[in-house]
Amino acid sequence: MRRLFTCLAVVVLVGAASALAQAPKKTFMWIVSAPGAPPTYLVGSLHILTPDYYPLSARIEQAFAQSKVLIEEVDIDEMTAPGTVMAVMGKALFTDGRTLDQVITPALYKEVITRGEKAGLPAAALQRMKPWLAAVSLTVPALSAAGFNTELGVDKYFFDKAKKAGLERRALETVPYQIDRLDQMAPAVQEAMLKSAIADIDNQVSNVKTIADAWARGDATTIERQLLAAFLESPVIYERMLVERNRNWIEPVETCLKQKTACFVVVGAAHLVGPHSVIALLQKKGYKVEQQ
């Protein structure tokens, strides 16, 4: 489980692109083709970036300009709506009188408090958090200190562009559904996530940078090796965070092809690599899918 939370953070928090001096031979974008239909584009993303990863590849920008619909994991406006924030907090914080120190081991709780003090998170706030939220909360400060910002995520970037242009926007999931992927995991799994997060905090920035740089090269092999090897250490998390969601997303992609609508689909990079990826599932259904 040592590297698991870094990889989980990539799925939940982070997105990628690059600003190399020379354009990479490939991008982290695929074209899905069907007879008689315009192309549907699949773009791998992380959801938090530094300015160093912009501008995006001209090929990705051109694909977006040719598209009629933007499809992303969630509606970002829904994510930031006050009602959604309150609903998420209702799931992420204990409301039954329990506290964090009562559901994890004393040794782990001591580490949480120590890390929290370094990150400026008071013990009183951490006490109210469920283990999965504590894991995320302890990770974000390290990434923020290194310049990573959710406002610079690729999904946010294209959401803002689509909104400004009046482009149709669709969501693959609701925010509550995404939160439930974490919140409904067994207590032992959540505790393991938290332990993994703490063990890997010092390496988080370096690991995310390695993943982002591989994305910039269009290096799907390295992304798969970096992400899936760790996810496979926990089949439960792999199924809930990747496989289940990938299966759910095939129908919306097929709808674009069947309706002959040029769609631009932005999802986490981890969803586009490996034997259970969106790409692999589409290929099994007979679609031609090519990396650009």
Side-chain angles (χ1 to χ4, degrees), residues 95-111:
T95 58
D96 58 2
R98 289 182 300 162
T99 52
L100 184 62
D101 63 314
Q102 294 174 341
V103 300
I104 61 176
T105 65
L108 179 56
Y109 180 72
K110 183 178 179 180
E111 290 184 73

Side-chain angles (χ1 to χ4, degrees), residues 18-238:
S18 179
L20 299 181
Q22 297 179 349
K25 292 181 180 179
K26 287 186 180 294
T27 69
F28 221 79
M29 178 176 71
W30 282 256
I31 288 181
V32 186
S33 303
T40 281
Y41 301 96
L42 297 178
V43 178
S45 169
L46 306 176
H47 310 306
I48 183 170
L49 274 178
T50 72
D52 299 333
Y53 291 92
Y54 285 88
L56 302 185
S57 162
R59 275 171 282 175
I60 293 177
E61 293 281 12
Q62 289 165 4
F64 177 77
Q66 295 167 2
S67 300
K68 303 300 182 184
V69 177
L70 172 67
I71 301 178
E72 296 191 317
E73 294 182 24
V74 296
D75 182 331
I76 292 178
D77 280 346
E78 178 200 1
M79 185 184 300
T80 56
T84 302
V85 173
M86 290 182 63
V88 169
M89 288 298 97
K91 292 175 180 286
L93 302 176
F94 288 114
T95 58
D96 58 2
R98 289 182 300 162
T99 52
L100 184 62
D101 63 314
Q102 294 174 341
V103 300
I104 61 176
T105 65
L108 179 56
Y109 180 72
K110 183 178 179 180
E111 290 184 73
V112 168
I113 297 304
T114 299
R115 286 290 186 174
E117 289 176 352
K118 291 180 180 179
L121 293 170
L126 287 165
Q127 271 280 63
R128 297 185 62 205
M129 296 181 185
K130 293 181 181 179
W132 69 263
L133 179 61
V136 173
S137 298
L138 290 172
T139 300
V140 168
L143 292 170
S144 296
F148 286 94
N149 188 333
T150 55
E151 290 297 308
L152 296 173
V154 173
D155 53 338
K156 179 67 162 62
Y157 172 77
F158 282 115
F159 183 87
D160 289 345
K161 287 193 70 167
K163 193 172 182 179
K164 184 177 180 180
L167 197 69
E168 181 182 347
R169 305 186 306 276
R170 301 175 188 171
L172 294 165
E173 302 170 338
T174 64
V175 175
Y177 174 84
Q178 281 201 342
I179 296 302
D180 282 346
R181 299 310 92 209
L182 296 165
D183 190 53
Q184 293 177 0
M185 286 193 290
V189 176
Q190 291 193 37
E191 183 173 358
M193 279 177 52
L194 178 54
K195 185 175 182 179
S196 177
I198 288 177
D200 225 25
I201 284 176
D202 293 335
N203 299 318
Q204 287 277 338
V205 173
S206 176
N207 291 341
V208 170
K209 183 69 164 56
T210 296
I211 291 167
D213 288 346
W215 187 100
R217 300 190 302 271
D219 186 353
T221 300
T222 295
I223 293 290
E224 180 175 351
R225 182 172 64 249
Q226 288 286 325
L227 295 180
L228 296 195
F231 267 110
L232 290 173
E233 293 175 15
S234 176
V236 172
I237 293 178
Y238 179 62

